[in-house]
């Protein structure tokens, strides 16, 4: 029988024997085969400014190369600039999608990043469609069920985990390593086995852009459509999940968290529906001061909750809004945790926050 | 509340206002912002030779552009060559992964490609892990369940759909549009609602490469490990699926198909286990003449089958092997269909074949 290559139209200009990135001890070497380029440099998101690049040097055989000190253990993204054009590393299979961009991954192993790795016992990730009458479209969401879900008869608590602006239902899985983080925490006995639901938070959109999808006909800027997504989350997505999964249909078994725009969805959903979630974890978002903020928070206080956990980096532009939320919770006598980290509005923080607060849920 | 961008480290050198590719009538225009490049060209897999490229022309503002006649309706992949380096189109979100490469998609709408589009009622795609005792690792597979699976109590027939060399458990979903094809055929009443299982056919591999995965310790070249994958498919994957899904556990409700290497797995599996599958669809692979071929096929004939459907392009290097299989089935008095198409060893054929034979299964 023929053992043929699926890859029939193999593209040229790609050096297949190159290793990139190569981590050796405390250094990382990046390489690119680009014999006809006049200038090649490296951009990585560990660099202090987004305009920083590291020049690469052309060596024999047209291979451009640079060796740098490895950044601290984490997952980073990088790409090359070839004569001014951003290009991926053709020999690095590891890619994350951030919105409309595909970025190469640099995984620096270490204590902080060890739960971002694959582990022995893994849950299932499913992409499922549900009908949204409120938004007038059917929509896709991603669902993580923990290892052993299929063979147990147990019911599980549910974390609703929301992405930020520019993201979609794949963001927490791709950039956020949510499945790996939960797999690791559950396997280590540090987190309760739980279902994690990652919906698409762009109410005009059916799913992460793909061929033939339609947008909703609703005008999302119209006043009557304010909070359309949050309403759909509570009135449509939660019932859909509790019908289709062995989910515990109780406030005490529901958590909500989101980053940036998804953190806004988290604060809005818990203010609008104070009887729905016992665990509330807004990340990198904060809140706006308003004349109804105290009344809004009192609604949550009155309904009761088990955890109000806020994560934000001190260099994040959302830090001032986070301080507003922190102070408002304090002046309303509401127990909460403000978990501050270094760094800003970035996935390295959001992975860290998930890895931290997931250990506190449903306990 | 802050409505912040998840995309904080936005990369430069990407022209965000450019549209590429732009289909207008019968032509397609490709554009790339590359002011500092000295040579930019377009490579697309619709071109006759894999060394063909189409030069692009630099216009005002450093935008390179070329307009071509649209190829016939299908899904194609393309990329740009910037001073000799292959790069993706930064403004085209639609990407397929083929092995280790990420390629931009060009979708030319038309009759032939209409089932590759999203449709109204969509099934669920799940990524699930199972333990392979035979291979000594746990491994990932992809499972498509048809629209309505979750809310029905029915049992379903199962198609085991295998990828080729260089592929993995995502290949049929990414390059092959298998979920969209089944969604469309089932919605139109042309195919029976079925489960589609897409395992990873590389027996040394746990899953499509990701961080921290291990290879099996088995030596796959050792004689005792011949057909290791096919044995695992029948003795481990099928029982796993029939335990974890509402699958009809009968020969008459099992189909097997695969392309290239997966076609080899299809012919091997049905020869080794003639009592397992009633529907046999090897694609772009053929078979090798041997002194036991007739006896092998007689085993299948004796066990009985409902469909033997072979797909191959006349320009495929697997065509001669396909003729050997066709003739061997004929001389053994075995009913079968040889579906020949134009073109060669390429996804445009494999999508066409799936879209064709899936209508014949379980009827």
């Amino acid at each position: 029988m023929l053992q043929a290559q699926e890859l029939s139209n193999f593209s040229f200009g790609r050096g297949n024997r190159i290793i990139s990135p190569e981590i050796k001890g405390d250094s990382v070497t990046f390489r690119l085969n680009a014999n006809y380029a006049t200038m090649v440099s490296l951009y990585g998101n560990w660099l202090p400014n987004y305009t920083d690049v590291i020049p690469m040097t052309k060596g024999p055989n047209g291979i451009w190369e640079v060796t740098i000190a490895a950044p601290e253990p984490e997952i980073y993204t990088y790409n090359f600039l070839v004569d001014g054009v951003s290009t991926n590393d053709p020999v690095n299979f590891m890619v994350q999608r951030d919105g409309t961009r595909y970025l190469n991954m640099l995984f620096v192993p270490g204590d902080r990043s060890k739960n971002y790795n694959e582990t022995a016992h893994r849950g299932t990730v499913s992409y499922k469609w549900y009908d949204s009458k409120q938004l007038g479209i059917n929509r896709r969401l991603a669902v993580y069920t923990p290892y052993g879900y299929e063979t147990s008869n147990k019911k599980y608590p549910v974390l609703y985990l929301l992405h930020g602006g520019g993201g979609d239902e794949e963001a927490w899985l791709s950039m956020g390593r949510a499945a790996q983080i939960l797999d690791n925490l559950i396997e280590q006995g540090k987190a309760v086995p739980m279902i994690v639901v990652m919906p698409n938070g762009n109410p005009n959109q059916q799913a992460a852009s793909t061929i033939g999808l339609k947008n909703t006909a609703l005008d999302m800027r119209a006043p009557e459509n304010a909070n359309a997504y949050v309403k759909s989350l509570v009135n449509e997505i939660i019932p859909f999940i509790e019908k289709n999964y062995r989910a515990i249909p109780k406030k005490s078994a529901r958590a909500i968290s989101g980053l940036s725009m998804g953190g806004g969805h988290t604060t809005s959903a818990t203010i609008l529906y104070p009887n729905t979630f016992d665990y509330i974890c807004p990340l990198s978002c904060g809140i706006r001061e308003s004349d109804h903020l105290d009344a809004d928070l009192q609604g949550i206080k009155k309904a009761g909750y088990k955890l109000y956990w806020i994560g934000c980096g001190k260099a994040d532009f959302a830090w001032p809004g986070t301080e507003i939320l922190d102070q408002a919770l304090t002046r309303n006598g509401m127990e909460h945790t403000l978990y501050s980290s270094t760094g800003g509005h970035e996935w390295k923080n959001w992975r860290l926050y998930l890895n931290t607060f997931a250990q506190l849920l449903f306990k």
Side-chain angles (χ1 to χ4, degrees), chain A residues 29 31 43 49-50 65 77 103 115 120 159 185 213 219 225-226 237 245 276 283 286 295-296 333 337 351 361:
Chain A
T29 301
R31 297 183 180 95
Y43 169 74
N49 304 299
Y50 75 93
E65 187 176 305
T77 56
L103 303 164
N115 282 357
L159 164 62
L185 291 176
L213 290 179
D219 176 5
N225 293 326
I237 293 177
Y245 288 88
T276 304
L283 313 175
D296 288 347
T337 300
R351 286 185 291 263
L361 302 179

Side-chain angles (χ1 to χ4, degrees), chain A residues 148-159:
Chain A
Y149 174 90
E150 288 86 356
T151 49
S152 90
N153 290 314
K154 275 177 50 181
K155 289 197 168 195
Y156 294 82
V158 185
L159 164 62

Side-chain angles (χ1 to χ4, degrees), chain A residues 4 11 28 51-53 73 161 172 177 191 198 224 236 244 246 256 259 290 308 311 314 327 360:
Chain A
S11 180
V28 192
T51 49
D52 291 343
V53 293
L161 187 59
W172 269 107
R177 308 286 292 172
M198 291 153 278
E224 67 271 23
E236 298 186 316
N244 284 284
R246 293 197 311 281
I256 184 167
L259 71 93
S290 76
Y308 206 118
K314 291 207 171 175
Q327 289 155 12
L360 307 174

Side-chain angles (χ1 to χ4, degrees), chain A residues 34-308:
Chain A
N35 200 29
Y36 303 102
T38 49
M39 195 174 68
V40 177
S41 48
L42 168 70
Y43 169 74
N45 73 348
W46 62 88
L47 298 171
N49 304 299
Y50 75 93
T51 49
D52 291 343
V53 293
I54 302 173
M56 296 173 72
T57 306
K58 189 175 178 180
N61 308 317
I63 311 295
W64 295 71
E65 187 176 305
V66 69
T67 297
I68 63 164
E72 62 169 352
E74 243 305 337
I75 297 175
Y76 302 93
T77 56
Y78 72 96
N79 52 254
F80 298 124
L81 285 170
V82 177
D83 293 343
V85 174
S86 181
T87 181
N88 280 0
D89 185 342
V91 302
N92 181 1
F93 175 77
M94 297 299 303
V95 166
Q96 291 184 331
R97 181 171 68 79
D98 189 7
T100 57
R101 298 179 304 149
Y102 293 82
L103 303 164
N104 283 111
M105 280 171 69
L106 169 67
F107 186 99
V108 183
D111 202 50
R112 173 165 165 149
S113 59
K114 70 180 193 312
N115 282 357
Y116 309 159
N117 239 309
E118 300 289 342
T119 186
H121 296 111
R122 302 180 182 92
T124 297
V125 173
S126 298
Y127 293 94
K128 205 178 271 292
W129 293 82
Y130 71 99
D131 288 316
S132 171
K133 285 189 184 147
Q134 292 188 16
L135 300 173
I137 40 178
N138 61 351
R139 311 185 71 236
R140 200 172 83 142
L141 44 75
V143 181
Y144 166 89
T145 47
Y147 177 79
Y149 174 90
E150 288 86 356
T151 49
S152 90
N153 290 314
K154 275 177 50 181
K155 289 197 168 195
Y156 294 82
V158 185
L159 164 62
Y160 293 86
L161 187 59
L162 313 179
H163 63 80
D168 54 56
E169 71 275 20
E170 292 180 344
W172 269 107
L173 291 164
S174 178
M175 304 290 288
R177 308 286 292 172
Q180 288 79 15
I181 290 171
L182 270 293
D183 284 343
N184 274 281
L185 291 176
I186 292 169
E187 184 174 291
Q188 294 160 26
K190 291 181 179 161
V192 169
M194 67 184 86
I195 298 168
V196 184
V197 176
M198 291 153 278
N200 184 307
N202 310 302
N204 63 330
Q205 197 178 55
Q206 288 189 284
S209 198
T210 181
I211 299 165
L213 290 179
K214 297 175 193 81
N215 286 347
T216 180
L218 294 182
D219 176 5
M220 287 304 158
R221 290 159 307 179
E224 67 271 23
N225 293 326
N227 289 308
Y229 171 64
V230 161
K231 290 175 183 170
S232 174
L233 172 66
V234 173
N235 298 317
E236 298 186 316
I237 293 177
I238 292 178
F240 175 83
I241 294 298
E242 294 180 356
K243 185 181 171 189
N244 284 284
Y245 288 88
R246 293 197 311 281
I248 303 168
K250 285 183 186 166
K251 181 170 184 255
S252 62
R254 292 192 205 105
I256 184 167
S257 176
L259 71 93
S260 193
M261 177 183 85
H265 290 150
T266 300
T267 53
S268 303
T270 51
I271 286 169
L272 279 172
Y273 301 97
N275 292 305
T276 304
F277 305 98
D278 254 355
Y279 299 85
I280 305 167
C281 309
L283 313 175
S284 299
C285 72
I287 208 157
R288 200 177 289 166
E289 194 59 83
S290 76
D291 54 15
H292 51 81
L293 178 55
D294 287 342
D296 288 347
L297 294 178
Q298 283 295 326
I300 295 175
K301 187 180 180 184
K302 198 179 154 201
Y305 62 93
K306 294 200 174 148
L307 181 74
Y308 206 118

